Amino acid sequence: MKRIILIKYGELTTKKDNRGFFIKTLRKNILNKLTDFNIEIKDDYYRMFIYCDEDDINKIVSILKSIFGIHEIVICISSTDTSVDNIKNISLDIMKNKTFKTFKVETNRSDKSYPIKSMEMNNIIGGHILKNINCKVDVHNPDYLLNIEIRCEGVYIYENRIKGLGGYPVSTLGRGLLMLSGGIDSPVAGYLTIKRGVELYYLYFESRPHTSIEARNKVITLARKLEKYNSNGKLLVVNFTKIQEAIYKNLDPDYLITIMRRMMYRIAEKVAKKNKCLAIVNGESVGQVASQTLSSILSVNDVTNFPILRPLCSFDKLDIIDISKKIDTYETSILPYEDCCTVFVPKHPVINPNLKHIYHEESLYDFSELLDEAVNNIEVVSLKEVKSDLL
């Protein structure tokens, strides 16, 4: 008899023939996050079990709470002895020092050869508790819930369920490229995309000296916070200064934001393909700012046929802020360091851009060499330590 960690899969159980692949990836992700611990993992199509040193259980659970693909985490007592007397003894030992007035026993008998059915086991264990503890049964709204799982290899008994993040294990759905700014929205978009099983690389546009080293460090911090949920991410930094200055000096100032974002998407597509990303991800929410009207989105999207994911498209700002606080990016995002999207802001940014006018404006200046230069000189910033190398 010992304490172990039991993991319930949740949404992974809907995958039928592909479930094995999702479970295998979840196992790999857990092992990658728990390299500092002495653990053994056993799994099947319904449960995963982590065996570890008793002193490490709480630390490991804390890490598991940030891994996608886990529906619930429970710390349980396991025993290979499935006799009724042993289950009675373990159950009473767990409950005798707890404070409650009402309780309920729930038994899950996945081993259908076990001679006692679930309802009968509930009654047996419930009766034993009533004889030894001054309390009552309440099957609808109990103060205390005891769970018993009877499986072929043994019995697992637990009380508290810890909610996991759900979603799919990271990398089961391929890789995406997140356009990561220093604002509130894009880190939240990244988090929600990772939740759907997409591994992320991060793309940041900087325009030094117009943007500061503090702005870059702010984005590095945000990327590191997302790495808590992601795996093996890279931060790719684009020097956008020459392109931004060329737009500002040569083209219609009211269209500055629209054309700037078109250039960003041209670069993002090239970077995504170069890094085997299957989609570009951004933090746009419909109607939130001038560049996020439907006509603006259409005008920007016009430069690429590459898939663009917008996880926040229907979120309002308060919803986004709530999630940013939950994932610990909000306080970093609101630091007052300007990114390249806020450096050159026109007095009257166009809300409903005209594509014919955009084509005309872009024909006035050849950006091809600047775009190639930006892509060929991307800088890769380590998310483990602040250093950089050319891509």
Side-chain angles (χ1 to χ4, degrees):
M1 184 177 70
K2 64 177 296 185
R3 290 207 309 165
I4 66 169
I5 300 169
L6 182 154
I7 289 173
K8 300 182 181 182
Y9 301 133
E11 193 173 359
L12 269 62
T13 60
T14 66
K15 290 305 171 183
K16 297 182 180 179
D17 293 342
N18 293 321
R19 191 190 299 186
F21 165 69
F22 281 81
I23 294 171
K24 181 180 179 180
T25 305
L26 175 61
R27 178 193 179 102
K28 181 190 73 174
N29 292 347
I30 291 174
L31 286 170
N32 286 341
K33 295 287 187 179
L34 298 180
T35 54
D36 293 335
F37 300 94
N38 178 29
I39 64 169
E40 179 185 2
I41 297 179
K42 295 181 181 179
D43 60 69
D44 58 29
Y45 266 32
Y46 304 97
R47 296 286 188 265
M48 184 176 289
F49 304 92
I50 299 178
Y51 300 83
C52 62
D53 296 337
E54 176 74 22
D55 293 342
D56 292 334
I57 286 179
N58 291 335
K59 296 176 187 176
I60 290 173
V61 167
S62 179
I63 294 171
L64 293 175
K65 289 192 287 186
S66 65
I67 298 177
F68 286 115
I70 298 174
H71 174 62
E72 279 187 349
I73 308 160
V74 296
I75 302 171
C76 62
I77 300 294
S78 70
S79 175
T80 56
D81 181 357
T82 60
S83 68
V84 173
D85 285 343
N86 187 50
I87 296 174
K88 282 182 177 180
N89 292 336
I90 295 174
S91 300
L92 182 60
D93 190 55
I94 291 174
M95 296 177 64
K96 64 185 179 182
N97 294 319
K98 307 295 181 182
T99 300
F100 60 90
K101 293 181 179 179
T102 60
F103 77 100
K104 178 184 178 181
V105 178
E106 281 189 0
T107 302
N108 178 0
R109 185 182 61 118
S110 61
D111 177 11
K112 300 306 179 185
S113 67
Y114 192 76
I116 301 173
K117 294 183 178 180
S118 297
M119 288 298 295
E120 185 180 355
M121 181 63 76
N122 293 344
N123 293 333
I124 291 171
I125 301 304
H128 184 63
I129 298 303
L130 289 171
K131 289 179 181 178
N132 291 276
I133 300 175
N134 183 22
C135 58
K136 295 181 180 180
V137 172
D138 184 344
V139 297
H140 300 294
N141 188 30
D143 299 330
Y144 182 94
L145 175 63
L146 183 74
N147 296 271
I148 301 170
E149 294 197 15
I150 301 173
R151 297 166 57 86
C152 296
E153 73 276 7
V155 61
Y156 304 87
I157 304 174
Y158 56 92
E159 48 186 351
N160 297 321
R161 304 181 184 202
I162 301 165
K163 186 173 177 58
L165 289 179
Y168 297 136
V170 178
S171 81
T172 51
L173 274 295
R175 180 183 298 151
L177 181 67
L178 173 66
M179 298 174 75
L180 181 62
S181 71
I184 295 171
D185 299 343
S186 58
V188 174
Y191 169 82
L192 294 177
T193 304
I194 297 168
K195 184 172 184 176
R196 303 317 297 163
V198 179
E199 177 188 80
L200 287 184
Y201 281 8
Y202 314 103
L203 186 66
Y204 171 59
F205 293 85
E206 72 175 4
S207 189
R208 297 175 69 180
H210 308 298
T211 58
S212 64
I213 189 64
E214 288 83 7
R216 173 193 278 225
N217 289 336
K218 175 181 175 180
V219 170
I220 293 172
T221 300
L222 290 172
R224 285 175 174 161
K225 288 180 179 293
L226 287 176
E227 279 300 287
K228 177 181 178 181
Y229 311 98
N230 192 37
S231 62
N232 303 314
K234 292 182 179 179
L235 176 59
L236 312 175
V237 180
V238 177
N239 186 334
F240 201 58
T241 307
K242 292 181 181 180
I243 295 173
Q244 199 162 17
E245 289 178 344
I247 296 170
Y248 181 74
K249 293 174 182 177
N250 296 284
L251 306 185
D252 185 344
D254 290 348
Y255 275 74
L256 189 152
I257 297 296
T258 301
I259 295 174
M260 181 186 72
R261 291 187 67 77
R262 284 167 63 89
M263 297 300 166
M264 287 179 170
Y265 275 97
R266 289 183 172 107
I267 292 171
E269 179 179 352
K270 293 176 183 292
V271 175
K273 290 178 178 178
K274 188 174 183 179
N275 288 277
K276 299 181 180 179
C277 298
L278 304 179
I280 295 167
V281 185
N282 68 37
E284 291 176 344
S285 176
V286 174
Q288 187 169 260
V289 294
S291 63
Q292 294 174 13
T293 63
L294 289 181
S295 56
S296 291
I297 291 172
L298 175 66
S299 297
V300 172
N301 243 95
D302 174 67
V303 302
T304 180
N305 291 319
F306 207 73
I308 310 294
L309 305 183
R310 296 177 172 88
L312 304 183
C313 66
S314 62
F315 282 55
D316 67 36
K317 194 66 176 185
L318 294 179
D319 293 333
I320 297 169
I321 289 172
D322 285 344
I323 298 174
S324 72
K325 291 178 178 178
K326 170 187 170 184
I327 64 175
D328 190 32
T329 58
Y330 178 75
E331 294 299 331
T332 302
S333 293
I334 62 174
L335 292 173
Y337 305 122
E338 290 187 320
D339 59 32
C340 64
C341 292
T342 57
V343 171
F344 299 111
V345 178
K347 291 182 179 179
H348 305 289
V350 63
I351 296 176
N352 296 300
N354 182 289
L355 271 172
K356 288 184 178 179
H357 184 65
I358 292 171
Y359 297 155
H360 170 71
E361 287 295 309
E362 291 185 350
S363 71
L364 300 176
Y365 191 92
D366 185 1
F367 287 92
S368 56
E369 288 188 10
L370 292 180
L371 289 170
D372 288 341
E373 181 182 344
V375 172
N376 292 332
N377 290 281
I378 282 178
E379 195 178 356
V380 181
V381 177
S382 173
L383 296 177
K384 293 183 179 179
E385 55 181 313
V386 183
K387 67 178 182 178
S388 60
D389 304 287
L390 287 180
L391 181 64

